[in-house]
């Protein structure tokens, strides 16, 4: 039995949650490098979320 692939919406929501978690971790960073890592991860998650939102819109347009 194969595993179900997550939907674009599910992937987008997961990236939103990751970005939020990383943004919330920034003030708790003990070292400057740790803060930079959280900022980079938050930026990457936000970028992926935007790309998934574009893909979601394209999928909806294809369904019309």
């Amino acid at each position: 039995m194969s595993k179900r692939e997550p939907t674009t919406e599910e992937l987008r929501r997961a990236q939103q949650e990751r970005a939020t978690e990383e943004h919330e971790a920034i003030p708790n960073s003990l070292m400057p490098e740790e803060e930079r890592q959280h900022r980079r991860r938050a930026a990457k998650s936000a970028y992926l979320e935007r790309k998934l939102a574009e893909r979601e819109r394209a999928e909806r347009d294809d369904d019309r």
Side-chain angles (χ1 to χ4, degrees):
M1 183 177 228
S2 66
K3 220 173 164 183
R4 179 184 77 79
E5 291 291 318
T7 65
T8 302
E9 182 180 349
E10 291 168 336
L11 292 170
R12 186 180 55 77
R13 267 192 254 127
Q15 289 304 322
Q16 280 179 324
E17 290 172 16
R18 285 187 190 119
T20 299
E21 289 169 2
E22 292 298 336
H23 278 292
E24 290 172 351
I26 291 170
N28 300 322
S29 299
L30 301 176
M31 305 290 286
E33 180 58 29
E34 184 182 3
E35 180 180 340
R36 283 191 291 274
Q37 287 177 356
H38 288 302
R39 288 185 188 282
R40 283 193 303 267
R41 289 179 191 144
K44 181 178 180 180
S45 292
Y47 168 80
L48 292 172
E49 189 276 325
R50 286 190 305 272
K51 290 300 181 183
L52 287 164
E54 289 175 12
R55 180 171 134 183
E56 198 172 22
R57 283 189 297 275
E59 288 173 353
R60 277 196 309 264
D61 290 347
D62 287 346
D63 288 342
R64 291 181 188 179

